[in-house]
Amino acid sequence: MHKFVPWAVSPIVLAISMAVSAAPGDLPSPQMRATMQRDLNMTSAQLAQYLKVERVAVSQGEALARAQGRHFAGSWIERKPNGTYEFVLATTAPGAKASAPGLSFRSARHSLAHLKASKSELDVLASRHGSAPEGVYAWGVDVRNNTVTVDVAPGAQAAAIDFVAASGADVSVIRFNTMHSAPRLLATLEGGSEYLSQSGGSYYYCSVGFGVTQNGVEGYVTAGHCGNTNDGVFTLANRRTVGPQIGSFKSSFFGGSGDGAHVQLFAGSSVSATVDGYNQPVRGQAVAPEGAAVCRSGRTTGLKCGTILRYNQTVNYPEATINGLTSVKVCAEGGDSGGSFISGDQAQGVLSGGNYSCKGKQASLATSYFQPIAEILGSQLTLKTSN
């Protein structure tokens, strides 16, 4: 049973959190800009310069990658020691030179295709055995370090080495990173959420992700571990009393393929195409580059911003090993699961899990993971957007 509930829906109107990457000419809302400056330690001048670099990444990133062909080794937004930002493109080709302000090239030993192939070997082995060894928390391509980085618990490196050796992956690309707290699904069984799912006689709460429609019928996407297909979805009155049922899980997946779900709402309920707490319209789903600022909204910890660390991560939760998640340097807590990640005005995904909490010094150590929005939408769902 993969029951959890990490986000919140208002008892009267369903408010949805969303994630987005700023398109050329668009700016984050004032609330989002303030949260970015707070959580990412930016001045207003640094934020303005960051947004210019992000536009370079969004407008030129794909074309630059294609131009490198088999030499392409990844790209990301990087904060320099002086606090300014640049878009970095890694390549195995010699002599590449920058062609635009805010863009730089970096020499790399391994192509992105080679790194992905080695990461895939680890996925295949984990799938064959049902999971990775205890203490092997996550792994994925790390373009900044030109490696496949494997996150391991203190004292678990020997097991991780055996795991890599058995996979047949190219050991020259492997880098081990000690992670002192295990990733976990960020659900909680305590009361107080406005969105509840029910399985049998038990209720669970989560956070709403993004508003969607299917053949004109309103709904939203959230984390798959928040509910099983056909489970009921309810509101809360006064954050304590179970309110009326407002819909049910139309579909849900939680396992190797990812962590996502679609909740279909009954007539009379709707979801706005904005991010809860940011007053930020959602206008699309363009994928933000690695290193980009991304903000999330969740019922437990509210608004938090961080930076995208790595795409296509495999995370070894105690409940299941999940492929295809994105890691973010941002904290989250129980009840935030399913909540939205947004960069600019572009939806990025919904919260799956993480480690540590948002309390005190733990917040600076935390890593969270989201399920990319495109895999949840597929060909059947349409993201609700603002004009």
Side-chain angles (χ1 to χ4, degrees):
M1 179 68 63
H2 59 265
K3 267 314 189 177
F4 302 86
V5 193
W7 219 94
V9 179
S10 151
I12 301 174
V13 179
L14 298 175
I16 304 302
S17 250
M18 322 237 173
V20 188
S21 209
D26 290 327
L27 285 176
S29 69
Q31 295 94 328
M32 182 178 289
R33 293 199 300 271
T35 305
M36 291 171 68
Q37 288 184 232
R38 179 196 70 191
D39 292 348
L40 300 175
N41 193 27
M42 290 178 170
T43 65
S44 58
Q46 288 170 331
L47 175 58
Q49 193 263 335
Y50 164 80
L51 292 172
K52 290 179 180 179
V53 171
E54 188 183 64
R55 293 187 190 105
V56 172
V58 172
S59 63
Q60 299 190 37
E62 290 187 7
L64 288 165
R66 287 195 301 269
Q68 291 300 308
R70 63 185 178 84
H71 294 290
F72 180 60
S75 60
W76 62 94
I77 295 176
E78 183 170 284
R79 186 170 184 168
K80 297 190 289 187
N82 65 3
T84 62
Y85 292 83
E86 63 181 356
F87 180 52
V88 180
L89 188 140
T91 178
T92 61
K97 295 182 179 180
S99 59
L103 170 68
S104 69
F105 279 78
R106 194 161 298 172
S107 179
R109 181 180 178 186
H110 306 289
S111 70
L112 182 60
H114 181 66
L115 296 175
K116 286 182 174 180
S118 292
K119 189 263 182 183
S120 180
E121 296 284 1
L122 300 178
D123 288 343
V124 169
L125 180 61
S127 176
R128 187 183 305 146
H129 292 280
S131 67
E134 183 177 357
V136 177
Y137 291 150
W139 58 90
V141 172
D142 181 350
V143 294
R144 293 172 183 80
N145 291 298
N146 198 226
T147 64
V148 174
T149 295
V150 181
D151 295 324
V152 299
Q157 187 161 330
I161 291 172
D162 290 342
F163 173 61
V164 170
S167 73
D170 179 0
V171 296
S172 71
V173 308
I174 301 297
R175 169 178 172 263
F176 295 107
N177 173 61
T178 301
M179 180 179 280
H180 291 273
S181 179
R184 65 192 185 281
L185 298 169
L186 293 172
T188 177
L189 303 184
E190 297 176 355
S193 173
E194 297 160 297
Y195 141 40
L196 296 176
S197 65
Q198 182 184 31
S199 179
S202 299
Y203 290 94
Y204 308 83
Y205 73 85
C206 280
S207 297
V208 172
F210 298 87
V212 298
T213 59
Q214 184 178 38
N215 300 321
V217 179
E218 292 264 351
Y220 60 85
V221 293
T222 187
H225 69 262
C226 287
N228 296 314
T229 301
N230 298 322
D231 283 347
V233 172
F234 299 79
T235 63
L236 268 173
N238 301 319
R239 298 181 64 85
R240 291 183 179 276
T241 304
V242 178
Q245 184 173 355
I246 55 173
S248 62
F249 280 80
K250 182 73 178 296
S251 63
S252 178
F253 57 92
F254 177 70
S257 61
D259 185 6
H262 167 217
V263 170
Q264 190 169 87
L265 300 173
F266 297 155
S269 293
S270 64
V271 179
S272 61
T274 57
V275 179
D276 185 36
Y278 288 117
N279 194 28
Q280 173 66 55
V282 175
R283 294 192 173 96
Q285 59 188 81
V287 178
E290 293 190 22
V294 65
C295 301
R296 65 159 193 81
S297 180
R299 58 86 45 200
T300 303
T301 57
L303 312 178
K304 301 290 181 182
C305 295
T307 54
I308 295 176
L309 295 174
R310 304 192 290 270
Y311 280 103
N312 194 24
Q313 299 296 286
T314 299
V315 180
N316 193 34
Y317 294 124
E319 295 83 356
T321 300
I322 310 295
N323 300 323
L325 300 182
T326 300
S327 61
V328 180
K329 190 65 177 176
V330 71
C331 67
E333 294 184 7
D336 287 330
S337 280
S340 58
F341 277 80
I342 186 166
S343 175
D345 61 359
Q346 304 296 303
Q348 299 300 300
V350 302
L351 179 67
S352 173
N355 62 358
Y356 289 107
S357 75
C358 293
K359 297 178 177 66
K361 295 181 179 179
Q362 291 190 34
S364 64
L365 303 173
T367 298
S368 297
Y369 304 91
F370 71 75
Q371 169 67 48
I373 185 71
E375 283 73 18
I376 309 178
L377 296 177
S379 60
Q380 303 297 315
L381 302 178
T382 301
L383 179 70
K384 290 190 69 175
T385 57
S386 299
N387 295 327

